[in-house]
Amino acid sequence: DWREDENIVHGLGWGTGEGRVVDPERDKWRLFKNLYARREGIQDARGATTLLQVATRAAEKLGRMRPRIRFSATLMSTPETLYGRDWYWGDTISAVYLGTTFKGMVEQVLITVSQNGKERIEARMEAEYFADVEIGLDEAIGMRSADLIASPLDIFPYNL
């Protein structure tokens, strides 16, 4: 969702008015991708005691506000892929949609039995990836979000 995307985050540190410490952190790749792509946000860092702490908090939020690709699907147990034999709740599985493979976790399983004893199993699969411009969309889709999460210092290295 574009409303969740921020490519500039202003870390607001200690002080008031013109004396307030402000440190803007930018994601240059997303910022200059499009003339109209500028989306700004703020991160309260009044408790920080150094400029580096203000910058780190702003960089952390900048990392969390990266655009994401979300994929969800309803899975059904079939004779070819039986629930309880081939896959279970909590398994990481792959699903192909329009030629793209998504890896996600089976997060919900609903088992119902009708009055005549017929069992029906439905499950929900969810996948979410960061759509990083730096590595490209195709590569981002091939990784789980846990593979793409890095510390702010990995994303924005500081010379200490």
Side-chain angles (χ1 to χ4, degrees), residues 45-71:
R46 285 178 282 192
T49 56
T50 66
L51 183 59
L52 181 59
Q53 289 176 341
V54 174
T56 300
R57 290 184 189 168
E60 287 172 350
K61 181 174 183 191
L62 187 62
R64 287 192 313 268
M65 300 308 289
R66 296 179 349 225
R68 294 171 184 80
I69 298 168
R70 292 185 180 108
F71 177 80

PDB file of all heavy atoms in Angstrom, residues 45-71:
ATOM      1  N   ALA A  45      12.163  10.883  18.699  1.00  0.00           N
ATOM      2  CA  ALA A  45      13.372  10.373  19.335  1.00  0.00           C
ATOM      3  C   ALA A  45      13.799  11.326  20.445  1.00  0.00           C
ATOM      4  O   ALA A  45      14.982  11.561  20.655  1.00  0.00           O
ATOM      5  CB  ALA A  45      14.471  10.195  18.298  1.00  0.00           C
ATOM      6  N   ARG A  46      12.824  11.883  21.171  1.00  0.00           N
ATOM      7  CA  ARG A  46      13.143  12.846  22.233  1.00  0.00           C
ATOM      8  C   ARG A  46      13.990  12.247  23.336  1.00  0.00           C
ATOM      9  O   ARG A  46      14.731  12.944  23.997  1.00  0.00           O
ATOM     10  CB  ARG A  46      11.858  13.415  22.841  1.00  0.00           C
ATOM     11  CG  ARG A  46      11.191  14.418  21.932  1.00  0.00           C
ATOM     12  CD  ARG A  46       9.922  14.906  22.554  1.00  0.00           C
ATOM     13  NE  ARG A  46       8.907  13.863  22.357  1.00  0.00           N
ATOM     14  CZ  ARG A  46       7.625  14.048  22.576  1.00  0.00           C
ATOM     15  NH1 ARG A  46       7.189  15.193  23.027  1.00  0.00           N
ATOM     16  NH2 ARG A  46       6.775  13.082  22.356  1.00  0.00           N
ATOM     17  N   GLY A  47      13.906  10.957  23.550  1.00  0.00           N
ATOM     18  CA  GLY A  47      14.675  10.317  24.601  1.00  0.00           C
ATOM     19  C   GLY A  47      16.130  10.052  24.212  1.00  0.00           C
ATOM     20  O   GLY A  47      16.937   9.646  25.040  1.00  0.00           O
ATOM     21  N   ALA A  48      16.480  10.286  22.955  1.00  0.00           N
ATOM     22  CA  ALA A  48      17.850  10.051  22.496  1.00  0.00           C
ATOM     23  C   ALA A  48      18.775  11.098  23.097  1.00  0.00           C
ATOM     24  O   ALA A  48      18.393  12.249  23.301  1.00  0.00           O
ATOM     25  CB  ALA A  48      17.904  10.107  20.974  1.00  0.00           C
ATOM     26  N   THR A  49      20.007  10.685  23.369  1.00  0.00           N
ATOM     27  CA  THR A  49      20.971  11.614  23.963  1.00  0.00           C
ATOM     28  C   THR A  49      22.072  12.020  22.991  1.00  0.00           C
ATOM     29  O   THR A  49      22.841  12.924  23.287  1.00  0.00           O
ATOM     30  CB  THR A  49      21.617  10.983  25.220  1.00  0.00           C
ATOM     31  OG1 THR A  49      22.212   9.739  24.852  1.00  0.00           O
ATOM     32  CG2 THR A  49      20.567  10.762  26.299  1.00  0.00           C
ATOM     33  N   THR A  50      22.155  11.338  21.834  1.00  0.00           N
ATOM     34  CA  THR A  50      23.157  11.695  20.830  1.00  0.00           C
ATOM     35  C   THR A  50      22.489  11.773  19.467  1.00  0.00           C
ATOM     36  O   THR A  50      21.418  11.193  19.239  1.00  0.00           O
ATOM     37  CB  THR A  50      24.300  10.656  20.758  1.00  0.00           C
ATOM     38  OG1 THR A  50      23.759   9.418  20.284  1.00  0.00           O
ATOM     39  CG2 THR A  50      24.965  10.465  22.114  1.00  0.00           C
ATOM     40  N   LEU A  51      23.142  12.459  18.542  1.00  0.00           N
ATOM     41  CA  LEU A  51      22.637  12.555  17.181  1.00  0.00           C
ATOM     42  C   LEU A  51      22.607  11.185  16.509  1.00  0.00           C
ATOM     43  O   LEU A  51      21.705  10.883  15.740  1.00  0.00           O
ATOM     44  CB  LEU A  51      23.489  13.532  16.363  1.00  0.00           C
ATOM     45  CG  LEU A  51      23.040  13.789  14.936  1.00  0.00           C
ATOM     46  CD1 LEU A  51      21.613  14.340  14.908  1.00  0.00           C
ATOM     47  CD2 LEU A  51      23.986  14.753  14.249  1.00  0.00           C
ATOM     48  N   LEU A  52      23.567  10.329  16.839  1.00  0.00           N
ATOM     49  CA  LEU A  52      23.591   8.980  16.278  1.00  0.00           C
ATOM     50  C   LEU A  52      22.359   8.184  16.703  1.00  0.00           C
ATOM     51  O   LEU A  52      21.791   7.442  15.906  1.00  0.00           O
ATOM     52  CB  LEU A  52      24.872   8.242  16.681  1.00  0.00           C
ATOM     53  CG  LEU A  52      25.021   6.825  16.122  1.00  0.00           C
ATOM     54  CD1 LEU A  52      24.996   6.837  14.602  1.00  0.00           C
ATOM     55  CD2 LEU A  52      26.288   6.182  16.632  1.00  0.00           C
ATOM     56  N   GLN A  53      21.908   8.345  17.944  1.00  0.00           N
ATOM     57  CA  GLN A  53      20.701   7.653  18.396  1.00  0.00           C
ATOM     58  C   GLN A  53      19.468   8.161  17.659  1.00  0.00           C
ATOM     59  O   GLN A  53      18.589   7.385  17.293  1.00  0.00           O
ATOM     60  CB  GLN A  53      20.521   7.830  19.900  1.00  0.00           C
ATOM     61  CG  GLN A  53      21.519   7.062  20.720  1.00  0.00           C
ATOM     62  CD  GLN A  53      21.369   7.338  22.205  1.00  0.00           C
ATOM     63  OE1 GLN A  53      20.767   8.334  22.623  1.00  0.00           O
ATOM     64  NE2 GLN A  53      21.930   6.452  23.026  1.00  0.00           N
ATOM     65  N   VAL A  54      19.394   9.469  17.415  1.00  0.00           N
ATOM     66  CA  VAL A  54      18.277  10.036  16.648  1.00  0.00           C
ATOM     67  C   VAL A  54      18.295   9.459  15.238  1.00  0.00           C
ATOM     68  O   VAL A  54      17.265   9.021  14.713  1.00  0.00           O
ATOM     69  CB  VAL A  54      18.351  11.581  16.612  1.00  0.00           C
ATOM     70  CG1 VAL A  54      17.278  12.152  15.687  1.00  0.00           C
ATOM     71  CG2 VAL A  54      18.223  12.165  17.999  1.00  0.00           C
ATOM     72  N   ALA A  55      19.480   9.434  14.613  1.00  0.00           N
ATOM     73  CA  ALA A  55      19.613   8.904  13.256  1.00  0.00           C
ATOM     74  C   ALA A  55      19.258   7.421  13.205  1.00  0.00           C
ATOM     75  O   ALA A  55      18.604   6.969  12.261  1.00  0.00           O
ATOM     76  CB  ALA A  55      21.039   9.128  12.752  1.00  0.00           C
ATOM     77  N   THR A  56      19.672   6.665  14.209  1.00  0.00           N
ATOM     78  CA  THR A  56      19.388   5.229  14.232  1.00  0.00           C
ATOM     79  C   THR A  56      17.889   4.970  14.327  1.00  0.00           C
ATOM     80  O   THR A  56      17.349   4.111  13.621  1.00  0.00           O
ATOM     81  CB  THR A  56      20.116   4.557  15.407  1.00  0.00           C
ATOM     82  OG1 THR A  56      21.516   4.753  15.250  1.00  0.00           O
ATOM     83  CG2 THR A  56      19.821   3.069  15.459  1.00  0.00           C
ATOM     84  N   ARG A  57      17.191   5.718  15.172  1.00  0.00           N
ATOM     85  CA  ARG A  57      15.732   5.528  15.284  1.00  0.00           C
ATOM     86  C   ARG A  57      15.019   5.903  14.001  1.00  0.00           C
ATOM     87  O   ARG A  57      14.069   5.233  13.588  1.00  0.00           O
ATOM     88  CB  ARG A  57      15.204   6.327  16.473  1.00  0.00           C
ATOM     89  CG  ARG A  57      15.655   5.737  17.787  1.00  0.00           C
ATOM     90  CD  ARG A  57      15.083   6.449  18.962  1.00  0.00           C
ATOM     91  NE  ARG A  57      15.732   5.971  20.188  1.00  0.00           N
ATOM     92  CZ  ARG A  57      15.622   6.555  21.341  1.00  0.00           C
ATOM     93  NH1 ARG A  57      14.880   7.636  21.476  1.00  0.00           N
ATOM     94  NH2 ARG A  57      16.235   6.051  22.397  1.00  0.00           N
ATOM     95  N   ALA A  58      15.475   6.971  13.350  1.00  0.00           N
ATOM     96  CA  ALA A  58      14.874   7.355  12.068  1.00  0.00           C
ATOM     97  C   ALA A  58      15.155   6.293  11.010  1.00  0.00           C
ATOM     98  O   ALA A  58      14.276   5.940  10.220  1.00  0.00           O
ATOM     99  CB  ALA A  58      15.397   8.715  11.626  1.00  0.00           C
ATOM    100  N   ALA A  59      16.371   5.754  10.997  1.00  0.00           N
ATOM    101  CA  ALA A  59      16.735   4.718  10.022  1.00  0.00           C
ATOM    102  C   ALA A  59      15.940   3.436  10.255  1.00  0.00           C
ATOM    103  O   ALA A  59      15.541   2.759   9.307  1.00  0.00           O
ATOM    104  CB  ALA A  59      18.234   4.432  10.090  1.00  0.00           C
ATOM    105  N   GLU A  60      15.674   3.097  11.530  1.00  0.00           N
ATOM    106  CA  GLU A  60      14.867   1.914  11.834  1.00  0.00           C
ATOM    107  C   GLU A  60      13.465   2.065  11.263  1.00  0.00           C
ATOM    108  O   GLU A  60      12.929   1.141  10.649  1.00  0.00           O
ATOM    109  CB  GLU A  60      14.804   1.690  13.342  1.00  0.00           C
ATOM    110  CG  GLU A  60      16.078   1.164  13.938  1.00  0.00           C
ATOM    111  CD  GLU A  60      16.054   1.139  15.461  1.00  0.00           C
ATOM    112  OE1 GLU A  60      15.114   1.710  16.070  1.00  0.00           O
ATOM    113  OE2 GLU A  60      16.975   0.550  16.046  1.00  0.00           O
ATOM    114  N   LYS A  61      12.862   3.231  11.455  1.00  0.00           N
ATOM    115  CA  LYS A  61      11.514   3.446  10.916  1.00  0.00           C
ATOM    116  C   LYS A  61      11.541   3.437   9.397  1.00  0.00           C
ATOM    117  O   LYS A  61      10.648   2.884   8.757  1.00  0.00           O
ATOM    118  CB  LYS A  61      10.915   4.759  11.417  1.00  0.00           C
ATOM    119  CG  LYS A  61       9.508   4.944  10.871  1.00  0.00           C
ATOM    120  CD  LYS A  61       8.778   6.118  11.419  1.00  0.00           C
ATOM    121  CE  LYS A  61       7.369   6.139  10.840  1.00  0.00           C
ATOM    122  NZ  LYS A  61       6.683   7.362  11.126  1.00  0.00           N
ATOM    123  N   LEU A  62      12.572   4.030   8.803  1.00  0.00           N
ATOM    124  CA  LEU A  62      12.699   4.032   7.350  1.00  0.00           C
ATOM    125  C   LEU A  62      12.737   2.600   6.820  1.00  0.00           C
ATOM    126  O   LEU A  62      12.094   2.280   5.818  1.00  0.00           O
ATOM    127  CB  LEU A  62      13.955   4.799   6.944  1.00  0.00           C
ATOM    128  CG  LEU A  62      14.164   5.057   5.459  1.00  0.00           C
ATOM    129  CD1 LEU A  62      13.044   5.913   4.901  1.00  0.00           C
ATOM    130  CD2 LEU A  62      15.504   5.743   5.245  1.00  0.00           C
ATOM    131  N   GLY A  63      13.442   1.728   7.523  1.00  0.00           N
ATOM    132  CA  GLY A  63      13.484   0.324   7.119  1.00  0.00           C
ATOM    133  C   GLY A  63      12.139  -0.362   7.235  1.00  0.00           C
ATOM    134  O   GLY A  63      11.767  -1.177   6.394  1.00  0.00           O
ATOM    135  N   ARG A  64      11.369  -0.027   8.285  1.00  0.00           N
ATOM    136  CA  ARG A  64      10.039  -0.637   8.477  1.00  0.00           C
ATOM    137  C   ARG A  64       9.026  -0.124   7.462  1.00  0.00           C
ATOM    138  O   ARG A  64       8.036  -0.794   7.185  1.00  0.00           O
ATOM    139  CB  ARG A  64       9.519  -0.331   9.875  1.00  0.00           C
ATOM    140  CG  ARG A  64      10.183  -1.081  10.986  1.00  0.00           C
ATOM    141  CD  ARG A  64       9.421  -0.936  12.303  1.00  0.00           C
ATOM    142  NE  ARG A  64       9.049   0.417  12.621  1.00  0.00           N
ATOM    143  CZ  ARG A  64       9.776   1.277  13.350  1.00  0.00           C
ATOM    144  NH1 ARG A  64      10.956   0.905  13.818  1.00  0.00           N
ATOM    145  NH2 ARG A  64       9.338   2.494  13.618  1.00  0.00           N
ATOM    146  N   MET A  65       9.235   1.062   6.908  1.00  0.00           N
ATOM    147  CA  MET A  65       8.254   1.671   6.014  1.00  0.00           C
ATOM    148  C   MET A  65       8.513   1.366   4.544  1.00  0.00           C
ATOM    149  O   MET A  65       7.913   1.979   3.673  1.00  0.00           O
ATOM    150  CB  MET A  65       8.229   3.187   6.230  1.00  0.00           C
ATOM    151  CG  MET A  65       7.857   3.596   7.650  1.00  0.00           C
ATOM    152  SD  MET A  65       6.329   2.856   8.264  1.00  0.00           S
ATOM    153  CE  MET A  65       5.123   3.704   7.296  1.00  0.00           C
ATOM    154  N   ARG A  66       9.411   0.421   4.262  1.00  0.00           N
ATOM    155  CA  ARG A  66       9.668   0.051   2.876  1.00  0.00           C
ATOM    156  C   ARG A  66       8.433  -0.606   2.286  1.00  0.00           C
ATOM    157  O   ARG A  66       7.670  -1.264   2.991  1.00  0.00           O
ATOM    158  CB  ARG A  66      10.856  -0.914   2.804  1.00  0.00           C
ATOM    159  CG  ARG A  66      12.120  -0.258   3.263  1.00  0.00           C
ATOM    160  CD  ARG A  66      13.353  -1.121   3.249  1.00  0.00           C
ATOM    161  NE  ARG A  66      13.250  -2.524   3.045  1.00  0.00           N
ATOM    162  CZ  ARG A  66      13.902  -3.419   3.775  1.00  0.00           C
ATOM    163  NH1 ARG A  66      14.656  -3.068   4.769  1.00  0.00           N
ATOM    164  NH2 ARG A  66      13.804  -4.701   3.507  1.00  0.00           N
ATOM    165  N   PRO A  67       8.219  -0.468   0.977  1.00  0.00           N
ATOM    166  CA  PRO A  67       7.050  -1.101   0.360  1.00  0.00           C
ATOM    167  C   PRO A  67       7.147  -2.617   0.426  1.00  0.00           C
ATOM    168  O   PRO A  67       8.232  -3.181   0.411  1.00  0.00           O
ATOM    169  CB  PRO A  67       7.078  -0.603  -1.086  1.00  0.00           C
ATOM    170  CG  PRO A  67       8.432  -0.074  -1.306  1.00  0.00           C
ATOM    171  CD  PRO A  67       9.007   0.293   0.013  1.00  0.00           C
ATOM    172  N   ARG A  68       5.987  -3.247   0.495  1.00  0.00           N
ATOM    173  CA  ARG A  68       5.919  -4.700   0.617  1.00  0.00           C
ATOM    174  C   ARG A  68       5.035  -5.293  -0.466  1.00  0.00           C
ATOM    175  O   ARG A  68       4.149  -4.643  -0.984  1.00  0.00           O
ATOM    176  CB  ARG A  68       5.321  -5.075   1.976  1.00  0.00           C
ATOM    177  CG  ARG A  68       6.173  -4.698   3.144  1.00  0.00           C
ATOM    178  CD  ARG A  68       5.367  -4.921   4.428  1.00  0.00           C
ATOM    179  NE  ARG A  68       6.058  -4.496   5.598  1.00  0.00           N
ATOM    180  CZ  ARG A  68       6.139  -3.240   6.012  1.00  0.00           C
ATOM    181  NH1 ARG A  68       5.583  -2.287   5.313  1.00  0.00           N
ATOM    182  NH2 ARG A  68       6.784  -2.927   7.108  1.00  0.00           N
ATOM    183  N   ILE A  69       5.300  -6.537  -0.740  1.00  0.00           N
ATOM    184  CA  ILE A  69       4.440  -7.330  -1.617  1.00  0.00           C
ATOM    185  C   ILE A  69       3.753  -8.339  -0.716  1.00  0.00           C
ATOM    186  O   ILE A  69       4.414  -9.069   0.018  1.00  0.00           O
ATOM    187  CB  ILE A  69       5.260  -8.055  -2.695  1.00  0.00           C
ATOM    188  CG1 ILE A  69       5.960  -7.050  -3.583  1.00  0.00           C
ATOM    189  CG2 ILE A  69       4.384  -8.994  -3.497  1.00  0.00           C
ATOM    190  CD1 ILE A  69       7.004  -7.664  -4.471  1.00  0.00           C
ATOM    191  N   ARG A  70       2.427  -8.360  -0.746  1.00  0.00           N
ATOM    192  CA  ARG A  70       1.675  -9.308   0.076  1.00  0.00           C
ATOM    193  C   ARG A  70       0.941 -10.288  -0.828  1.00  0.00           C
ATOM    194  O   ARG A  70       0.348  -9.909  -1.821  1.00  0.00           O
ATOM    195  CB  ARG A  70       0.678  -8.545   0.945  1.00  0.00           C
ATOM    196  CG  ARG A  70       1.347  -7.706   1.991  1.00  0.00           C
ATOM    197  CD  ARG A  70       0.325  -7.060   2.920  1.00  0.00           C
ATOM    198  NE  ARG A  70       0.996  -6.270   3.908  1.00  0.00           N
ATOM    199  CZ  ARG A  70       1.012  -4.938   3.931  1.00  0.00           C
ATOM    200  NH1 ARG A  70       0.361  -4.271   3.007  1.00  0.00           N
ATOM    201  NH2 ARG A  70       1.650  -4.290   4.869  1.00  0.00           N
ATOM    202  N   PHE A  71       0.999 -11.551  -0.449  1.00  0.00           N
ATOM    203  CA  PHE A  71       0.320 -12.601  -1.198  1.00  0.00           C
ATOM    204  C   PHE A  71      -0.386 -13.498  -0.200  1.00  0.00           C
ATOM    205  O   PHE A  71       0.194 -13.885   0.810  1.00  0.00           O
ATOM    206  CB  PHE A  71       1.335 -13.414  -2.016  1.00  0.00           C
ATOM    207  CG  PHE A  71       0.722 -14.570  -2.755  1.00  0.00           C
ATOM    208  CD1 PHE A  71       0.068 -14.364  -3.951  1.00  0.00           C
ATOM    209  CD2 PHE A  71       0.794 -15.853  -2.234  1.00  0.00           C
ATOM    210  CE1 PHE A  71      -0.505 -15.431  -4.629  1.00  0.00           C
ATOM    211  CE2 PHE A  71       0.226 -16.922  -2.905  1.00  0.00           C
ATOM    212  CZ  PHE A  71      -0.425 -16.703  -4.106  1.00  0.00           C
TER     213      PHE A  71
END
